[in-house]
Amino acid sequence: MATPTFQAPRRAGRPWLRVFVTGLVLWVLTVLVILLTQNPNLIPTLVLLGSFLVPVTFVVWAFERRDTGELTPTLVFSTFLTGGVLGVLAASLLETYLLHPSPWLFVGVGLIEEAVKLGALAFLTRHLASKTVRDGMILGAAVGFGFAAFESAGYAFTALFTENGLSLMQVVQTEFLRGLLAPVGHGLWTAILGGVLFRASTRHHFLITYRLLLAYVGVSLLHALWDSMHSIALVITLLLTGTPAQYRLIELGWMPKPTEEQVHLFTVLSWAGLAVISVIGVAWLMGLWRSTRRPYTPPPGWRIPTTYVPR
């Protein structure tokens, strides 16, 4: 029996746009007031506004496209906050004790962070009666964007401290760049996993299928490529334009000074790589969204009972 769809009520205007514009204005005002007053007490306000602005905006946008009435603002908000905190805490613990510097470091980071976000999503949504692909994508995005918001807040806070003292410009640049890239990062990857997880699951159990495992590996690899793109771009730049003198300095443990051409090529390769990863992720998500229109028979898998209790 097909799960009945829920038609979300249409509200006048675009709530996500109002959230974004209001948050952006407050963020800009906070930057200006800090510049005028040099009041360091406002820095936490700046960090929180800048780190949460884009993630919250996209969660509001996704919530408007929910599939069932079970997705309430309270559920999505708690999934965003609780899933984000659980994710960053679990990832920090596992990465500290399991990972060590190696060529496979970013692969380990991708596997760990995607696993903890998926685990947090399953734990927080285990009580849902209806598990549709669309709702799974929305709740997955909520967990992913929550993770991204708290992670960005950490990076922005760390960027504040420099050798020359506190740097407001470093915070602004960090928040601007991470906000620009946030829509095609953690939120996108966990939305994919959420859709795949919910597609084969029911009110009584989650079904761990080979498709979910493949999706997990694929998303983790996209994550790893994203994190390592600067290193990949650096290696490609040196292979294409490196000089014997630069190679000798590298062998001696010195960092050679790049030429103007190398700086330009490195920048192009870095952004091009991130763009390709983003396109792959968005195309994957759109394909998953469109797949809901076709009949689907869940494949064999490992059933994990949920705590759902019929009313």
Side-chain angles (χ1 to χ4, degrees):
M1 179 178 178
T3 301
T5 58
F6 168 77
Q7 296 296 328
R10 294 291 180 181
R11 299 175 59 182
R14 298 175 178 175
W16 66 268
L17 185 58
R18 293 199 296 271
V19 169
F20 177 74
V21 172
T22 301
L24 182 61
V25 170
L26 292 175
W27 183 76
V28 172
L29 287 176
T30 303
V31 173
L32 293 176
V33 171
I34 293 176
L35 288 174
L36 290 173
T37 64
Q38 299 296 308
N39 183 0
N41 293 331
L42 293 177
I43 290 177
T45 303
L46 176 67
V47 169
L48 291 176
L49 279 174
S51 302
F52 281 77
L53 174 58
V54 174
V56 169
T57 297
F58 268 84
V59 169
V60 173
W61 176 84
F63 175 72
E64 296 172 9
R65 287 149 181 82
R66 62 196 183 277
D67 204 20
T68 66
E70 283 194 279
L71 259 68
T72 62
T74 301
L75 173 62
V76 175
F77 181 72
S78 64
T79 304
F80 175 86
L81 286 181
T82 308
V85 172
L86 289 177
V88 294
L89 293 179
S92 179
L93 284 172
L94 292 174
E95 289 170 3
T96 298
Y97 292 104
L98 297 181
L99 298 183
H100 306 282
S102 74
W104 302 100
L105 175 64
F106 290 121
V107 175
V109 170
L111 290 171
I112 287 174
E113 293 189 357
E114 296 309 320
V116 298
K117 287 186 294 177
L118 180 60
L121 171 64
F123 174 75
L124 294 171
T125 61
R126 66 195 185 281
H127 61 280
L128 292 180
S130 298
K131 296 181 176 68
T132 67
V133 174
R134 184 179 297 186
D135 286 355
M137 294 165 66
I138 293 170
L139 291 170
V143 172
F145 279 120
F147 187 100
F150 286 106
E151 185 180 62
S152 294
Y155 279 110
F157 180 75
T158 303
L160 176 66
F161 303 96
T162 68
E163 295 180 355
N164 300 319
L166 302 182
S167 174
L168 176 64
M169 189 55 61
Q170 289 276 35
V171 176
V172 172
Q173 290 176 349
T174 300
E175 292 195 323
F176 179 80
L177 181 59
R178 293 189 65 85
L180 183 66
L181 298 175
V184 289
H186 286 291
L188 172 62
W189 300 327
T190 317
I192 294 172
L193 290 179
V196 176
L197 174 66
F198 273 39
R199 188 177 192 187
S201 299
T202 70
R203 65 179 59 189
H204 299 296
H205 65 266
F206 286 114
L207 187 63
I208 309 301
T209 65
Y210 70 90
R211 292 179 181 175
L212 178 62
L213 295 178
L214 288 176
Y216 164 67
V217 173
V219 165
S220 299
L221 290 178
L222 289 180
H223 189 155
L225 287 172
W226 181 278
D227 287 348
S228 59
M229 189 49 60
H230 275 42
S231 299
I232 294 172
L234 178 60
V235 171
I236 295 176
T237 299
L238 286 173
L239 290 176
L240 294 177
T241 62
T243 65
Q246 289 177 323
Y247 287 130
R248 283 196 295 271
L249 287 175
I250 293 174
E251 291 174 355
L252 295 173
W254 293 86
M255 179 63 68
K257 183 178 180 180
T259 64
E260 185 175 344
E261 176 190 5
Q262 288 175 327
V263 171
H264 177 70
L265 180 59
F266 170 78
T267 303
V268 170
L269 290 174
S270 297
W271 284 101
L274 295 179
V276 170
I277 297 170
S278 302
V279 169
I280 293 173
V282 171
W284 190 351
L285 187 72
M286 292 177 63
L288 183 60
W289 185 282
R290 289 194 296 267
S291 70
T292 59
R293 304 170 186 171
R294 300 189 297 268
Y296 176 76
T297 302
W302 180 30
R303 295 174 181 268
I304 300 179
T306 67
T307 59
Y308 170 74
V309 178
R311 296 179 180 177

